Amino acid sequence: MSKLPEISGRTCAQALVRGGFYFKRQTGSHMVMRRDAPFAQVVVPDHRVLDRGTLRAIIRQAGLSVDEFLELL
């Protein structure tokens, strides 16, 4: 398993867009990203640096592996 980099919430959201997600809405600092087929909805905090545990949870909820996510970066 690859080590997760320190990235911002916006960089994470851009990688998810490349993976088929789109921006649904934002409430405060939390961006809601959605993919219709297969359905997945992920909340990405718009922070300068995401904690590695938070990033790992986002990747898991998106249905991606860490290596697949790193390719989208």
Side-chain angles (χ1 to χ4, degrees), residues 16-29:
L16 289 174
V17 166
R18 289 193 276 288
F21 284 79
Y22 61 91
F23 179 81
K24 178 72 174 167
R25 67 179 186 277
Q26 183 168 353
T27 303
S29 66

Side-chain angles (χ1 to χ4, degrees), residues 4 50-58 60:
L4 290 174
L50 292 177
D51 290 333
R52 288 203 172 103
T54 303
L55 181 57
R56 191 171 299 280
I58 290 169
R60 189 178 335 109

Side-chain angles (χ1 to χ4, degrees), residues 5-62:
E6 287 188 356
I7 61 172
S8 68
R10 290 188 186 215
T11 304
C12 178
Q14 290 170 353
L16 289 174
V17 166
R18 289 193 276 288
F21 284 79
Y22 61 91
F23 179 81
K24 178 72 174 167
R25 67 179 186 277
Q26 183 168 353
T27 303
S29 66
H30 290 80
M31 299 177 283
V32 177
M33 309 294 292
R34 179 178 279 184
R35 179 181 62 201
D36 291 329
F39 180 79
Q41 185 165 299
V42 181
V43 177
V44 179
D46 189 10
H47 298 164
R48 282 190 200 156
V49 177
L50 292 177
D51 290 333
R52 288 203 172 103
T54 303
L55 181 57
R56 191 171 299 280
I58 290 169
I59 293 169
R60 189 178 335 109
Q61 290 170 8

